[in-house]
């Protein structure tokens, strides 16, 4: 049986659905606009705070609906860069969201760039060998409201810390679907959540600052290319040949590079914007010069930007990152081939930056 919430969450409703829902309780449709204001502009945490609604309506909402379908179990902060929120779903499922603050050169910390990294599933079925999220297997998809509510929890947390008049603007600069789970395996809920994030009646967040990261589900990538909202795509490549990729990513057997590359090429052609290729550097797995040359070839073919990510150790797994010299040599090959790329600096390594680890630890304890 697929998971469903005990009561419908308003975060999963479009304005039309909300109006229809309120009508069931005998409330006029203009109330929907007020409720949306409370949800996405003022971002209140409860129905009680929606102070311009009549008391009976608040009572009705309390009985018939849910606002946040998950609650914050704990927040864990490391240095001043990364912070994790561990959320608990109605069924006890643990969901994690990460807020990353990149300090900007020469400006005060209050103007750092903030990226929020959200989860799309509980666990993951794709079982990449290096990834903590895949270790415990797949539990369930998150509902669209459970995805949207991750942003609202973070927004409220930020507003509590900085209750300045500007708090009604969305307090982050980028959204990435790089937490737990494979977003394209929960396609409809992810696209529905993005609609709410992007819509004027919702969080009104620019589509170009939203990135979906995928391990490479070919049919869904092709479908995604036709979605009207112009979000970005990042492909977790991690291997520049089938032989290397399928050793660490079982999904490559189902969708090998000769099918995957044309699908992402079509996506970037339709969207007319640059794709990102993520490439975790793992010692003696994918860090050879041959892999670097093959990666450069793929990146040039796709006009893609490459994000090199030195591997974050996962307890219980044998992999580790190559030393700095090796990372630099790899990067040099890309540079000489004219490939635009960055080497990602560690963010919050000390609080288990890699996906899924906080959740795993918590479940163990
Ligand atoms: N399932 C999607 C999105 C979630 S994973 C995907 O695979 O793209 C987000 C990113 O974190 C992916 O690029 C993934 O490969 C990477 N990742 C997973 N474990 C990691 C680790 N231990 N160190 C560094 N990056 C890791
Ligand atoms: Fe799933 Fe992505 Fe982790 Fe692979 S890297 S197991 S697809 S979350």
């Amino acid at each position: 049986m697929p998971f469903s919430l005990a009561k419908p969450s308003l975060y999963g409703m479009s304005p039309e659905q909300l109006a229809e829902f309120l009508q069931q309780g005998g409330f006029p449709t203009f109330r929907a606009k007020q409720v949306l204001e409370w949800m996405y502009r003022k971002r209140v945490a409860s129905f009680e705070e929606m102070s311009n609604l009549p008391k009976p309506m608040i009572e009705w909402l309390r009985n018939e609906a849910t606002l946040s379908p998950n609650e914050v179990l704990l927040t864990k902060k490391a240095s001043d860069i990364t912070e994790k929120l561990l959320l608990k779903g109605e069924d006890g499922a643990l969901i994690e969201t990460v807020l990353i603050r990149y300090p900007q050169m020469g400006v005060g910390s209050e103007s750092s760039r903030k990226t929020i990294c959200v989860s799309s599933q509980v666990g993951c079925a794709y079982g990449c060998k290096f990834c903590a999220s895949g270790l415990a297997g797949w539990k369930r998809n998150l509902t669209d409201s459970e995805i949207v509510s991750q942003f609202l929890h973070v927004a409220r947390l930020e507003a509590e810390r900085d209750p300045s008049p500007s708090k009604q603007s969305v307090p982050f600069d980028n959204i990435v679907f790089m937490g737990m789970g494979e977003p394209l395996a929960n396609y409809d809920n992810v696209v529905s959540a993005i609609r709410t994030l992007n819509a004027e009646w919702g969080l009104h967040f620019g589509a170009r600052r939203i990135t979906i990261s995928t391990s490479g589900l070919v049919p869904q990538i092709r479908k995604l290319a036709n979605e009207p909202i112009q979000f970005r795509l990042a492909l977790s490549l991690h291997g520049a040949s089938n032989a290397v990729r399928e050793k660490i990513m079982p999904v490559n057997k189902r969708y090998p590079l000769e099918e995957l590359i044309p699908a992402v090429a079509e996506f970037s052609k339709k969207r007319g914007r640059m794709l990102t290729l993520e490439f975790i550097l793992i010692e003696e797995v994918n860090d050879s010069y041959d892999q670097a040359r093959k990666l450069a070839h793929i990146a040039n073919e796709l006009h893609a930007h490459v994000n090199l990510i030195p591997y974050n150790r996962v307890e219980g797994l044998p992999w580790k990152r190559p030393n700095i010299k090796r990372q630099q040599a790899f990067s040099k090959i890309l540079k000489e081939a004219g490939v635009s790329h960055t080497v990602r600096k560690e963010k919050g390594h000390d609080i288990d930056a890699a996906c899924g680890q906080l959740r795993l630890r918590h479940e163990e304890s």
Side-chain angles (χ1 to χ4, degrees):
M1 266 267 287
F3 169 78
S4 63
L5 298 165
K7 295 187 258 180
S9 164
L10 302 194
Y11 291 148
M13 295 181 193
S14 66
E16 296 74 28
Q17 288 166 327
L18 180 61
E20 203 176 300
F21 180 69
L22 295 177
Q23 265 182 333
Q24 289 170 21
F27 305 106
T29 49
F30 77 86
R31 293 285 181 202
K33 198 163 174 255
Q34 290 177 317
V35 173
L36 289 170
E37 281 266 332
W38 286 112
M39 282 166 35
Y40 299 120
R41 292 288 166 273
K42 298 181 186 123
R43 301 191 279 266
V44 295
S46 68
F47 295 128
E48 286 74 11
E49 290 166 74
M50 302 183 173
S51 56
N52 61 354
L53 304 183
K55 281 240 159 59
M57 181 171 169
I58 292 179
E59 196 53 32
W60 184 83
L61 282 170
R62 273 213 327 209
N63 292 329
E64 304 296 327
T66 302
L67 197 55
S68 284
N70 41 38
E71 57 174 302
V72 181
L73 209 57
L74 59 96
T75 63
K76 204 176 173 193
K77 202 168 174 183
S79 62
D80 52 358
I81 295 180
T82 312
E83 182 165 5
K84 272 200 182 191
L85 270 75
L86 188 66
L87 309 176
K88 195 171 98 182
E90 276 184 3
D91 58 347
L94 299 174
I95 301 156
E96 59 170 47
T97 308
V98 186
L99 179 66
I100 307 156
R101 296 184 183 83
Y102 298 90
Q104 284 185 304
M105 299 295 273
V107 257
S109 63
E110 69 282 358
S111 47
S112 59
R113 290 189 69 75
K114 291 177 197 164
T115 294
I116 172 169
C117 171
V118 286
S119 295
S120 54
Q121 299 185 305
V122 183
C124 183
Y126 287 83
C128 301
K129 298 280 199 297
F130 48 80
C131 174
S133 293
L135 272 183
W138 178 82
K139 292 222 172 87
R140 67 170 173 88
N141 282 336
L142 294 181
T143 63
D144 48 3
S145 56
E146 287 177 310
I147 297 172
V148 171
S149 118
Q150 296 177 57
F151 300 93
L152 290 152
H153 280 304
V154 174
R156 281 195 287 267
L157 201 75
E158 290 292 282
E160 271 168 35
R161 287 175 184 155
D162 177 21
S164 64
S166 66
K167 74 173 182 187
Q168 287 197 15
S169 64
V170 177
F172 23 85
D173 304 280
N174 291 292
I175 292 175
V176 294
F177 281 80
M178 292 189 186
M180 235 192 302
E182 167 50 53
L184 297 191
N186 186 13
Y187 190 98
D188 291 343
N189 290 336
V190 166
V191 170
S192 162
I194 289 180
R195 211 174 292 136
T196 304
L197 298 174
N198 178 240
E200 225 180 307
W201 52 261
L203 282 166
H204 206 186
F205 193 89
R208 287 160 196 213
R209 294 184 288 141
I210 302 175
T211 303
I212 294 185
S213 175
T214 179
S215 61
L217 311 193
V218 167
Q220 286 91 328
I221 292 171
R222 293 202 182 271
K223 192 169 161 197
L224 208 59
N226 297 315
E227 290 294 340
I229 302 177
Q230 299 283 309
F231 45 76
R232 289 172 181 267
L233 187 67
L235 174 68
S236 292
L237 195 63
H238 309 329
S241 59
N242 282 326
V244 169
R245 195 167 191 263
E246 71 184 31
K247 259 200 262 174
I248 49 177
M249 299 182 74
V251 67
N252 194 75
K253 293 212 178 79
R254 184 115 170 255
Y255 302 117
L257 292 177
E258 58 277 17
E259 288 177 37
L260 180 58
I261 302 300
V264 291
E266 186 191 306
F267 181 94
S268 12
K269 198 168 149 222
K270 275 198 182 148
R271 292 306 176 100
R273 69 178 39 118
M274 216 182 204
L275 180 90
T276 300
L277 297 175
E278 291 164 279
F279 204 91
I280 306 179
L281 285 172
I282 312 175
E283 190 181 79
E284 286 182 20
V285 172
N286 63 3
D287 63 340
S288 68
Y289 297 158
D290 181 53
Q291 280 291 294
R293 281 189 288 267
K294 290 196 164 90
L295 172 60
H297 181 79
I298 294 174
N300 280 329
E301 192 185 318
L302 292 170
H303 306 291
H305 176 87
V306 173
N307 196 5
L308 292 177
I309 311 159
Y311 184 63
N312 271 321
R313 268 202 102 126
V314 174
E315 215 176 282
L317 296 181
W319 323 96
K320 58 178 191 223
R321 63 175 55 176
N323 64 34
I324 290 283
K325 263 200 163 150
R326 189 95 179 157
Q327 293 175 27
Q328 285 167 345
F330 198 96
S331 158
K332 192 164 167 237
I333 291 174
L334 296 186
K335 191 173 170 208
E336 284 169 0
V339 176
S340 141
H341 69 289
T342 36
V343 183
R344 194 193 285 173
K345 298 262 177 359
E346 275 175 88
K347 300 278 177 236
H349 195 53
D350 45 346
I351 63 151
D352 322 315
C355 317
Q357 291 185 63
L358 179 64
R359 189 186 67 94
L360 281 176
R361 296 259 170 83
H362 196 84
E363 272 180 354
E364 277 161 15
S365 65

